[in-house]
Amino acid sequence: MKLSQFKFNLPESLVANNPAEQRDEARLMVLHKDSGKIEHKIFKDVLGYFDDQDVMILNNTKVFPARLYGNKEKTGATIEVFLLRELNKELRLWDVLVDPARKIRVGNKLYFGDDDLLVAEVVDNTTSRGRTIRFLFEGTDEEFRRNVEILGETPLPKYIKRKATAEDKERYQTIFAKHEGAVAAPTAGLHFSRELMKRLELKGINFAEVTLHVGLGTFRTVEVEDLTKHKMDSEQFIIEQKDASIVNKALEEKRKICAVGTTSMRAIESAVSANRTLKAANDWTSKFIFPPYDFSIANSMITNFHTPESTLLMMVSAFGGYENVMNAYEVAVKEKYKFYSYGDAMLII
C-alpha cells in the first residue's frame, strides 16, 4: 500500500486539547469489521461487547516526566531537553532530543532548576536533534529520579497547543500504569476508569498485561510513499509468562481477545510462537504493521482516532479492513469525534 492512501482531511478543531471530563465518558465508535456497520456509543458501553472469560490486553507502561527545561552554561539560553531513554543507569547516560539543536554541542553543560538541581554534560551527537548527555549527579538513583520528577513536565505531544498542567500528570497516564519508561501514553488505555475496570471484572472479563515502552517514534512521520521502505523506531516490550498463559487459554477457548491500543497489539504481534500462540518475551520490536496483515492473537481492538498518514492509522486499517476504517474516519470527522491522545475511542470488533 501507499502512504497517500492514508490521507484524509482533519479539521484543526477536532484535535483534542483536553481529555473528556470523566475518563470513561469519551465517545466510542464501534466498528463491526465483518459488515462495516458503525454504532455511536459512550466509552463505558464497551462493557456490553464482552462476556465472561473474554480477555483484554492492557499496556501497563508508565509515562515519565520526560520534558525538561534547562539553561546553557555561559549564555544562559533556554534549552528544551526531551529524555528519550536511559542508556546506562550507573553512568546516568541518556538519549535525548534538544531544542534548539544548533546551539548544543558536545562538551556543553546544561543546568536545570533554580538552584541547579541537575547538571548535565553533552557527550555525543546522535541525530540532527539527538544527543547523548550525562547527568553529573552524585546521589542515589532514587534521589536522581525524584529530581527528574520535580523538574520534568508531562510530555504532552506537540500538537496539544498548551502547557502541561498538574491535571495532565494524572490524566496523561493510565490507571494501570506500573513500569516507568514511556515518553508518550498508550492512549487507548486512558479511557479506563477504576469503576469501569471493576464492572468489567465483575462481568468475568480477564485482564492480561504487557509492557511496551512507547517511544517518540510513535509520532514519527512516514516520509516514503512505498510503505515497505519505512523503518520503525524500536521499542522495548515485556510479556510475562502468566499473562501469555491468560491469553493462550482464551485463544484455545475461542474467546474474544481485545488488544487495548496499538502498542498492546504491536507487543503481542512481536511475540507470536510458531504455533500462533503468545509467548513470554523481553525484547525490542521494530515491527511495522500495515495492510495486508494476518493478525495472530487479538480478534478485537480498542484504539483512539489517529493522524492522517500515521503508522497507527495503518495498523488500525490492517486490523479493521482498509475500506471500513477509512470510511469510519470519514464518519468520525462528520460526527465531530475528537482525535489523538486525549480524543475519543474506537472499538473494532
Side-chain angles (χ1 to χ4, degrees):
M1 291 203 86
K2 301 275 185 274
L3 175 64
S4 50
Q5 290 175 267
F6 294 92
K7 260 197 176 96
F8 65 93
N9 185 30
L10 180 66
E12 189 75 18
S13 60
L14 296 186
V15 175
N17 272 311
N18 295 286
E21 213 161 295
Q22 302 297 329
R23 284 181 187 267
D24 57 15
E25 287 181 2
R27 293 167 75 189
L28 175 71
M29 178 187 283
V30 182
L31 171 63
H32 296 264
K33 56 180 176 172
D34 292 343
S35 63
K37 183 182 140 200
I38 287 170
E39 298 177 88
H40 303 288
K41 302 282 187 179
I42 298 291
F43 191 78
K44 54 181 159 195
D45 296 334
V46 82
L47 189 69
Y49 293 88
F50 295 91
D51 297 309
D52 186 29
Q53 299 309 304
D54 287 343
V55 172
M56 286 187 169
I57 302 172
L58 310 171
N59 183 3
N60 64 16
T61 187
K62 191 173 188 182
V63 181
F64 63 93
R67 191 172 273 128
L68 300 175
Y69 291 96
N71 300 95
K72 196 176 153 190
E73 63 175 336
K74 298 193 181 88
T75 66
T78 302
I79 304 295
E80 179 187 314
V81 174
F82 195 101
L83 303 176
L84 287 177
R85 60 173 170 240
E86 190 171 38
L87 300 172
N88 185 309
K89 201 181 268 244
E90 282 65 51
L91 297 175
R92 304 209 194 286
L93 280 181
W94 282 76
D95 211 355
V96 303
L97 293 177
V98 293
D99 201 15
R102 64 184 187 284
K103 295 185 174 176
I104 303 300
R105 297 192 172 87
V106 172
N108 285 163
K109 280 205 173 73
L110 305 171
Y111 296 86
F112 303 92
D114 295 340
D115 45 3
D116 303 338
L117 202 53
L118 288 176
V119 179
E121 183 181 9
V122 181
V123 294
D124 199 6
N125 293 328
T126 51
T127 61
S128 58
R129 285 182 56 214
R131 303 288 183 271
T132 302
I133 66 171
R134 180 171 62 234
F135 284 99
L136 311 171
F137 188 79
E138 295 299 317
T140 63
D141 193 53
E142 213 168 75
E143 290 166 329
F144 172 70
R145 303 258 161 199
R146 194 161 51 241
N147 288 356
V148 170
E149 192 68 40
I150 291 165
L151 295 169
E153 214 179 67
T154 303
L156 292 182
K158 287 281 192 197
Y159 54 70
I160 291 180
K161 304 274 191 278
R162 61 175 178 79
K163 290 288 269 179
T165 64
E167 188 200 17
D168 291 311
K169 212 181 181 73
E170 184 221 335
R171 293 299 304 271
Y172 195 64
Q173 195 82 271
T174 63
I175 60 165
F176 39 80
K178 282 182 192 152
H179 303 296
E180 199 169 80
V183 299
T187 56
L190 296 177
H191 301 293
F192 286 82
S193 63
R194 287 196 164 73
E195 298 71 34
L196 179 58
M197 294 285 281
K198 195 80 214 145
R199 289 171 68 199
L200 287 162
E201 229 170 84
L202 290 171
K203 199 170 177 182
I205 282 101
N206 294 317
F207 297 105
E209 295 188 4
V210 299
T211 307
L212 181 135
H213 292 314
V214 191
L216 266 194
T218 193
F219 301 118
R220 194 182 300 296
T221 51
V222 180
E223 283 161 356
V224 286
E225 178 65 3
D226 175 357
L227 298 184
T228 60
K229 296 195 164 43
H230 177 69
K231 296 276 179 287
M232 292 288 279
D233 289 26
S234 82
E235 295 171 313
Q236 187 186 16
F237 75 101
I238 300 155
I239 300 172
E240 305 281 357
Q241 185 55 58
K242 65 175 180 9
D243 296 292
S245 301
I246 292 170
V247 172
N248 290 334
K249 183 172 182 285
L251 264 177
E252 206 179 301
E253 295 172 358
K254 300 196 167 19
R255 307 280 183 196
K256 278 198 195 92
I257 298 170
C258 181
V260 176
T262 55
T263 59
S264 298
M265 186 69 90
R266 193 155 175 238
I268 60 179
E269 284 297 319
S270 300
V272 178
S273 70
N275 58 353
R276 288 172 80 100
T277 58
L278 185 62
K279 57 186 186 192
N282 186 340
D283 208 345
W284 290 76
T285 178
S286 53
K287 195 172 193 61
F288 177 27
I289 298 174
F290 59 95
Y293 181 86
D294 186 15
F295 290 83
S296 298
I297 308 292
N299 47 30
S300 59
M301 175 183 199
I302 292 170
T303 183
N304 276 24
F305 289 93
H306 305 293
T307 355
E309 300 187 317
S310 63
T311 58
L312 308 176
L313 172 57
M314 291 163 195
M315 181 199 285
V316 173
S317 298
F319 188 76
Y322 172 78
E323 309 287 346
N324 281 346
V325 169
M326 295 312 280
N327 173 55
Y329 268 56
E330 219 173 281
V331 173
V333 169
K334 206 163 72 216
E335 297 291 331
K336 297 191 166 30
Y337 274 75
K338 290 290 192 181
F339 279 66
Y340 306 169
S341 300
Y342 273 152
D344 295 316
M346 177 190 254
L347 167 64
I348 305 174
I349 208 151

